[in-house]
Amino acid sequence: MEFPPCPPSLKSIQHFLKLAQEHDTRDVVIAYWARLYALQIGLKASTQTGQETKLLLSIMDWLEQMKKQYADNEALTNEVAAQAHIENYALKLFLYADKQDREENFGKNVVKAFYSSGVLYDILQTFGELSEEALHNRKYAKWKAAYIHNCLKNGETPIPGPLPDDDDEAELQGENANASADTSPEESAGGEAGPAPAPYQPEPEAEPQPPAPSSVVPPTAEEVLNNPNKLPSPPVDEEKPGGFVPYVPTAQPHPATAATIYQPIVPVAGVQITPDQMIAAQKYCKYAGSALNYDDVKTAIENLQKALKLLSTGSE
């Protein structure tokens, strides 16, 4: 489907539309959510000019068509599945770029992988507030994309990994780099990106609350224009990140490692599972299934263990 050009007044959604276009034939769910998020932002930013309305209506029509075409996908009625897919995709892309960066394999593909990962974390805001890990990865990915891009543009050799600098200064300049990295590397007009904090090291007890699944009936274009908050939900078509070979750090765990992952669980008699706990257990199972799509057995085991413990004991 051909979309009208994006007017300058909706420049803030251009990178989401570009990401969607790149994934139209690679990963339908990424393309869908990217355009859905672009529509949300566009409806808020629109001044209702003819060009803006034409573009936004064409996006709505495309979303409705995809909703019908992929009516059998679970993500149409369960946002947890779609969120797990996008989170896993963003993380795999981030890990790929980070691995290439630390091995000093600098190039446009690494810049694009970092930048696309940051945009995907933006799109995840559709489901609510980002976790601490996602916020840190988004800031680092956008800063790193701008930094490597500027180094290559100026004929300089980038420094792999996070730059050694004072933590407070790095945090401040990292925030500035995050704000300036909202335009794609191809659109960057130059300027050096400041230092950023190191990639996030997760705290063992930090567990973000999962969003509740929702059943969504696709609205018409007129309904969405009258009520911008009423938007369709996406389908899922599992594929690996387009154009990149994602880095999988633990594809097949060693038997000794697997033994340490498994923790015997003693069921608690008479345990009562709340609706929120049921949703959380469902989230862990979705994450496990998504991890297996990338042969990440260790992550799958860990998430299934969390689900089993929650259902058996009523606590995490």
Side-chain angles (χ1 to χ4, degrees), residues 252-262:
Q252 296 291 338
H254 187 275
T257 304
T260 61
I261 297 174
Y262 178 73

Side-chain angles (χ1 to χ4, degrees), residues 120-132:
L120 285 167
Y121 281 118
D122 283 337
I123 294 170
L124 281 169
Q125 293 176 111
T126 303
F127 305 103
E129 295 184 2
L130 298 179
S131 66
E132 183 182 356

Side-chain angles (χ1 to χ4, degrees), residues 13 32 42-43 55 58 60 93 102 120-121 141 145 151 192 207 209 214 220 224 238 253 262 264 274 285 311:
I13 71 173
Y32 196 106
L43 287 171
L55 174 61
S58 67
M60 294 177 198
L93 205 54
R102 291 173 186 272
L120 285 167
Y121 281 118
C151 285
E192 294 184 2
E207 285 292 340
Q209 292 297 320
S214 62
T220 64
V224 178
E238 287 279 348
Y262 178 73
T274 66
C285 292
L311 295 174

